Each structure stands twice: as C-alpha cells, then as structure tokens.
C-alpha cells in the first residue's frame, strides 16, 4: 500500500511500514528538517491535521502525552495508515 503525504501543501508518496520522514528523504524532498531520525531530537515535529497513523516511541521531552493527543508527533516516528495531511510545527 502507498499513502499520499501532504506537508504544508507539498506531497509525496509513503510506502506502508515506512515512516513519513524516511519516505520524504527517499523521494528527495526536504519539506521538513532531518535530525536524529529516532524520535529524540524533535526537529521534525509536526501536527497531523487529517488521516490515520500510528507512532513509534517518541521522546516525551519533545512530544508530551497532551500534545500527542492533539495530533502532534515527530515525522520520523509516524507510520501512516491512510493518506495524511500534515503541518510543520514552527519553533
């Protein structure tokens, strides 16, 4: 399965089982900053506005339980389960 990911109006495809950030870099796009890719640095923090997804473990210092409940996650830890519409969280 391939999902369509839209980040701030720019789109790319993400294969099932691949994180949003890895799919973005593998398609040659740079819509989000890339850091550690393991959920610890927080530079790829986003808000999922639309769609279904699961997340891998993220640092609670970067994404609190309350933030996660509001759709905030790290792109390096998001596994899409449908097409997603995402907005970058600006620091």
């Amino acid at each position: 399965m391939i999902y369509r990911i839209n980040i701030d109006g720019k789109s790319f495809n993400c294969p099932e089982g691949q994180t949003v950030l890895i799919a973005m870099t593998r398609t040659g796009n740079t819509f989000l900053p890339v850091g550690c890719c393991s959920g610890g640095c927080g530079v790829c923090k986003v808000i999922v506005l639309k769609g279904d997804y699961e997340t891998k473990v993220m640092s609670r210092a970067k994404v609190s339980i309350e933030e996660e409940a509001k759709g905030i996650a790290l792109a390096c830890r998001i596994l899409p389960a449908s097409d997603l519409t995402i907005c970058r969280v600006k620091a």
Side-chain angles (χ1 to χ4, degrees):
M1 177 66 74
I2 302 289
Y3 300 111
R4 192 78 176 152
I5 310 301
N6 181 302
I7 299 176
D8 294 330
K10 300 170 187 141
S11 299
F12 59 93
N13 291 327
C14 181
E16 183 174 25
Q18 195 167 87
T19 67
V20 168
L21 195 68
I22 295 299
M24 180 197 75
T25 58
R26 287 187 178 168
T27 58
N29 294 298
T30 57
F31 309 142
L32 297 171
V34 177
C36 70
C37 293
S38 62
C41 73
V43 300
C44 62
K45 195 174 200 179
V46 296
I47 302 170
V48 180
L49 302 171
K50 184 177 174 184
D52 299 319
Y53 62 97
E54 294 181 21
T55 57
K56 294 181 176 184
V57 175
M58 298 179 281
S59 167
R60 287 295 170 212
K62 303 301 176 185
V63 179
S64 69
I65 293 171
E66 294 81 12
E67 287 177 314
E68 189 174 2
K70 295 176 184 175
I72 296 174
L74 301 177
C76 67
R77 310 312 282 164
I78 296 173
L79 295 167
S82 72
D83 293 348
L84 298 178
T85 301
I86 294 172
C87 178
R88 182 176 169 190
V89 173
K90 298 184 174 54

